[in-house]
Amino acid sequence: MSVPPTRSAPAPPPPPPETVPHLHRSLRRFDIMAMGVAAVISFDVLGQIAAGGGEAVTWIAAIAVGFLLPYALVFAETGAAFPQEGGPYVWVKLAFGRTAAALTTLFYWVTNPVWLGGSLVFIAAESWDGFVFPLGSGTVADYTFKLLFIWAAILTAIVSLRRGKWITTAGAAAKVLALAVFSGTAVAYGVEHGFRGLDHASFAPTTVGFLGLVPVLLFAYVGFEAPNAAGDEMHDPQRDVPVSIGISGLIATCCYLLPVLAILSAAPAGQVTGIGGFMDAARLVFAVYGDWSGPLLTTAAVLFVFALLTQGSAWMIVSDRMQAMTAADGGFFSRGLGAFHARLGTPVRMNLLSGITATLFMVAAMHLASGDAAAVFGVVLTVAITTLLLSYLAIVPALIRLRLRHAEVPRPYEVPFGTRGFVVCASLVYAWIVLGSWVALFPGTLEHLVGLRYDFADTWGVSRATFETFTLGTVALLLAVGALGLRGRRRTG
């Protein structure tokens, strides 16, 4: 007598989200979109991308289609289906448990104080020093500016979201305005002087160019799910999240493609640098304004620094909420770190911890390369790229698991072709993330594998030992901190 095959029981539905006290619903569709634009359009990577030459334009477009499109589709569906406060922390916890979620969130969160105290503050100081007021390098003025920049970003994250959202909205507007004015000015400069940069640029894609650009382009395109960290503070996340991701993704693609074209059209071949690319190109094209070029360039630099500041604060607003939810759930040292202020509705203690982390990283980076700002900028940006991309190694599989095991959850928006379409899109995104993570952690290894020449010191301005000390050392330190945080919580909880 044959026994009929048994069917595995369906997975239980996800537990209802815990109510977080002191939260206020203040984010509407426009606010979510503006927060996404403020966070994702990275002024600090424009020069780094443009340094890749004409083929950077080709790869911006190709990766927008091959990575950003499927990325936006899967995160739009998941963000609308699981809109709880904490965003990716909740998704990974539902899929793989608290330990995996805690470690993932740690990498996601720490990216932002590392980024704020690294590439953002360095490029802001470089721009202020060159176009507004001289600071010097390693001087009291230099340190003072960087400290003020870091803590101004933290304070904007501490204020209540109903007020803080207007700061990030102003930052998003400043970015789009600055990029539009710059691109238009570059066109006027090209009409008057000729588009000499584009005449000598090669748009043909190469393996070397691809491997050099893929980590920074992935870093530039990820993060549209970040506003979901404030899911319980949205009025209608199930309707607004998919639309906001779609619109902000389109804006971001244009805000990378057009300014990089403008930088390449104006800047002399081979002279675009990561730290000075945007403002150096602005210095050149603003010559079309004649006697007004100096004041306008200073104004542009101030706007540029403000946009960088709000970029940092937008990420602090969302990532600190994620990490606070982790702490409140018992996944990061003390539950007290997850407390939300009764009046402000913000995780003040986690905000302050981010400020301290950013300050310490800034001081460490100042001593990295003996004052070589360009080298420091490239290395500290790569540290931020590495930690963020590594977090998606758990987030993306979590999305697939939630789609397969919790298909009963209402999904106001669905990826075309249902579950099959979702899995294909998520798998494609995961392949990109794996590639970007490897190249960011071990640059030059794939080039050597395919027989291409790669001069590490010439590319990075530091030795491989120094580079890996900062990148792999940061990863090892984070794993240790995460383990201590979980262990400490178990002992006290």
Side-chain angles (χ1 to χ4, degrees):
M1 180 177 179
S2 62
V3 180
T6 59
R7 297 181 62 185
S8 58
E18 297 180 11
T19 302
V20 181
H22 315 310
L23 297 183
H24 310 283
R25 293 193 181 275
S26 56
L27 295 178
R28 299 187 183 276
R29 181 176 296 179
F30 176 79
D31 304 316
I32 300 168
M33 181 188 69
M35 186 176 290
V37 170
V40 174
I41 299 176
S42 303
F43 259 10
D44 58 321
V45 303
L46 281 174
Q48 198 81 354
I49 295 171
E55 66 176 299
V57 176
T58 304
W59 291 120
I60 289 173
I63 293 179
V65 175
F67 171 78
L68 178 58
L69 180 59
Y71 169 91
L73 291 174
V74 296
F75 277 98
E77 177 176 322
T78 305
F82 300 90
Q84 300 95 327
E85 189 84 5
Y89 172 72
V90 175
W91 305 338
V92 179
K93 180 186 174 184
L94 289 174
F96 302 124
R98 181 189 297 172
T99 299
L103 290 175
T104 299
T105 305
L106 177 62
F107 277 81
Y108 194 101
W109 162 74
V110 85
T111 294
N112 300 292
V114 164
W115 187 33
L116 178 64
S119 62
L120 285 183
V121 76
F122 274 84
I123 197 172
E126 185 82 3
S127 300
W128 198 270
D129 177 66
F131 299 93
V132 182
F133 183 84
L135 299 173
S137 179
T139 63
V140 173
D142 188 25
Y143 273 98
T144 301
F145 175 88
K146 288 172 179 173
L147 287 171
L148 289 174
F149 183 91
I150 289 171
W151 287 98
I154 297 300
L155 288 175
T156 59
I158 288 176
V159 301
S160 65
L161 191 56
R162 66 182 65 181
R163 292 182 173 85
K165 69 179 183 180
W166 294 113
I167 300 173
T168 57
T169 298
K175 283 183 179 182
V176 175
L177 175 63
L179 293 173
V181 170
F182 171 74
S183 299
T185 305
V187 171
Y189 181 87
V191 170
E192 183 175 335
H193 299 279
F195 297 94
R196 290 171 293 181
L198 294 180
D199 290 341
H200 297 90
S202 173
F203 295 91
T206 67
T207 303
V208 172
F210 171 72
L211 293 175
L213 286 166
V214 67
V216 70
L217 283 175
L218 295 181
F219 180 77
Y221 279 141
V222 298
F224 290 104
E225 77 290 340
N228 263 101
D232 288 344
E233 297 165 83
M234 299 177 182
H235 282 279
D236 191 0
Q238 294 188 323
R239 294 184 60 187
D240 293 343
V241 166
V243 176
S244 300
I245 289 179
I247 295 175
S248 54
L250 181 61
I251 293 173
T253 302
C254 293
C255 285
Y256 285 124
L257 192 61
L258 298 179
V260 168
L261 269 171
I263 291 174
L264 293 174
S265 73
Q271 294 187 24
V272 179
T273 65
I275 194 167
F278 182 81
M279 287 307 302
D280 285 347
R283 188 205 304 269
L284 181 63
V285 300
F286 273 42
V288 300
Y289 297 118
D291 293 339
W292 285 93
S293 62
L296 287 174
L297 196 56
T298 299
T299 303
V302 172
L303 193 65
F304 181 67
V305 171
F306 174 70
L308 291 171
L309 175 67
T310 56
Q311 186 175 321
S313 63
W315 274 104
M316 287 299 130
I317 288 171
V318 294
S319 65
D320 285 355
R321 279 168 165 75
M322 281 180 57
Q323 189 67 353
M325 291 297 294
T326 306
D329 197 36
F332 188 70
F333 293 101
S334 168
R335 292 185 188 273
L337 287 172
F340 282 69
H341 193 276
R343 179 172 59 85
L344 300 174
T346 54
V348 175
R349 293 172 183 171
M350 192 58 67
N351 295 145
L352 296 176
L353 180 60
S354 289
I356 294 170
T357 304
T359 301
L360 293 175
F361 191 83
M362 181 270 290
V363 173
M366 289 286 286
H367 294 86
L368 170 62
S370 304
D372 186 347
V376 172
F377 175 81
V379 175
V380 296
L381 176 60
T382 301
V383 172
I385 291 172
T386 299
T387 53
L388 185 60
L389 292 184
L390 287 176
S391 70
Y392 285 95
L393 293 177
I395 293 174
V396 176
L399 306 189
I400 297 175
R401 190 174 180 87
L402 291 178
R403 188 65 173 84
L404 296 176
R405 300 195 62 180
H406 298 297
E408 77 288 347
V409 174
R411 296 171 185 269
Y413 166 79
E414 291 191 14
V415 173
F417 306 108
T419 300
R420 181 176 299 176
F422 188 100
V423 172
V424 169
C425 287
S427 300
L428 182 59
V429 170
Y430 194 71
W432 280 106
I433 294 295
V434 170
L435 175 64
S437 300
W438 180 271
V439 174
L441 272 175
F442 308 106
T445 54
L446 294 183
E447 286 86 346
H448 286 306
L449 187 65
V450 295
L452 298 173
R453 181 179 176 276
Y454 191 88
D455 189 324
F456 195 95
D458 183 61
T459 302
W460 293 97
V462 297
S463 67
R464 181 176 285 277
T466 300
F467 179 93
E468 300 296 3
T469 297
F470 243 64
T471 53
L472 292 178
T474 299
V475 172
L477 179 62
L478 287 176
L479 290 173
V481 169
L484 288 173
L486 286 167
R487 186 178 181 185
R489 182 59 232 156
R490 291 192 188 102
R491 285 182 173 180
T492 57

